[in-house]
Amino acid sequence: VLGEGGYLPLPAAYLKGLHDLCNKHGIMLAFDEVQSGYGRTGSMWACEQVGVTPDILLFAKGVANGLPLAGFITRKELSDKCPPGTQGGTYAGNAVACASAAEVIRVFRDEKILDNVVQRGQELFTLLEAMIKRNNFPIQEVRGRGLMIGFQFTDNAPAGIAATVVKEALANSLILLNTSKFETIRLIPALNVTKEQCEEAILVLEQSIKAALASEKFTNKQTAVGFRDCCEGKKCQCFSLDKWEVACRRITQFK
């Protein structure tokens, strides 16, 4: 799932094709899962959902619950080519961060964090779609996996609307992020977020979008009547995640 690129889920067919192309030309394939990894999308690594194993996988942030720790995973024949001491960095291992990482693993297991991510993520999809329909918001699609969800405004929405919504939400104690690509807002709550917190957040989000559109004197001349899946006529083929029943892209239908 692209992060700053607009929270865009990449389909399995594309990633498998990229993997095959790299293998054909002797190119190593690296996946940056600093944002999408460590449970964010409902599995420990997002690449598990598309059946592609990269040569190198990068991770950080969530691994130690915010403490400075990062790393990479690779095959033994590749790691054997790196003598001890050649891999280092600001987020290299230290005792405190590693202790936090060990505790994160325990919490994931004991509190069934991945199950919560899958449940809450689907609930957010449902809440967002209901919000769009009842307000006729100019939002063209809801997309993502797990608790890495984004929604993009339509081309006729006011320029800069995503940033305006973020400011309105912050004024009402809801922290959101937009992206550097497209008019997209991302929802990335804590992995142990509750159903009640999700519902409360959507209510604040709804009021924030209303205020942002009102400040631009915008009225949507189209009516949102429903949604269609990215893979029409069949179950979503973009990825596979146990107990997840929603397509990774739900596109708004207007009339």
Side-chain angles (χ1 to χ4, degrees):
V1 182
L2 294 180
E4 289 293 339
Y7 263 42
L8 188 64
L10 300 177
Y14 169 81
L15 291 171
K16 288 176 180 177
L18 180 63
H19 183 258
D20 291 344
L21 185 66
C22 288
N23 285 343
K24 179 179 178 181
H25 295 283
I27 301 170
M28 286 195 296
L29 178 63
F31 283 172
D32 176 356
E33 292 227 28
V34 169
Q35 190 168 169
S36 64
Y38 234 75
R40 172 57 58 186
T41 63
S43 55
M44 285 305 294
W45 310 111
C47 63
E48 295 179 66
Q49 303 170 14
V50 295
V52 175
T53 301
D55 298 295
I56 301 171
L57 187 147
L58 310 172
F59 62 91
K61 294 183 178 178
V63 62
N65 202 30
L67 290 182
L69 185 65
F72 71 94
I73 303 169
T74 189
R75 301 193 308 275
K76 187 177 186 302
E77 62 265 30
L78 295 177
S79 62
D80 284 348
K81 296 179 181 180
C82 300
T86 58
Q87 294 297 325
T90 306
Y91 280 16
N94 64 77
V96 175
C98 288
S100 177
E103 182 66 7
V104 167
I105 292 173
R106 184 196 65 78
V107 170
F108 261 69
R109 180 190 66 238
D110 294 352
E111 299 185 13
K112 295 181 171 54
I113 293 298
L114 293 180
D115 288 345
N116 189 69
V117 171
V118 170
Q119 292 171 13
R120 301 290 87 77
Q122 292 181 101
E123 288 168 2
L124 280 172
F125 261 78
T126 300
L127 290 167
L128 286 167
E129 290 178 13
M131 178 193 74
I132 293 168
K133 284 192 68 176
R134 68 173 168 265
N135 294 282
N136 198 35
F137 283 151
I139 294 173
Q140 71 179 41
E141 73 174 34
V142 178
R143 58 188 181 231
R145 300 169 189 161
L147 287 174
M148 190 172 182
I149 298 173
F151 60 89
Q152 181 176 336
F153 288 91
T154 58
D155 291 340
N156 68 326
I161 186 63
T164 305
V165 171
V166 169
K167 291 178 182 177
E168 291 286 349
L170 185 59
N172 290 285
S173 303
L174 177 64
I175 299 175
L176 299 173
L177 288 174
N178 51 352
T179 65
S180 59
K181 185 73 173 176
F182 311 119
E183 291 285 356
T184 301
I185 289 179
R186 42 184 156 171
L187 304 181
I188 43 174
L191 303 188
N192 61 350
V193 67
T194 66
K195 179 179 181 179
E196 293 73 23
Q197 289 169 335
C198 289
E199 293 171 345
E200 181 181 0
I202 294 300
L203 290 176
V204 175
L205 172 62
E206 184 173 10
Q207 295 307 313
S208 300
I209 297 176
K210 285 181 178 179
L213 292 174
S215 70
E216 298 288 343
K217 297 180 172 57
F218 176 85
T219 301
N220 194 5
K221 297 180 180 180
Q222 294 181 306
T223 302
V225 295
F227 301 84
R228 66 175 175 85
D229 293 344
C230 48
C231 300
E232 293 186 87
K234 56 184 178 181
K235 185 177 180 180
C236 183
Q237 302 295 302
C238 299
F239 71 114
S240 178
L241 176 60
D242 188 38
K243 298 180 182 179
W244 183 275
E245 301 296 335
V246 183
C248 62
R249 297 179 68 182
R250 292 280 288 161
I251 299 137
T252 312
Q253 300 295 283
F254 291 99
K255 72 172 183 179

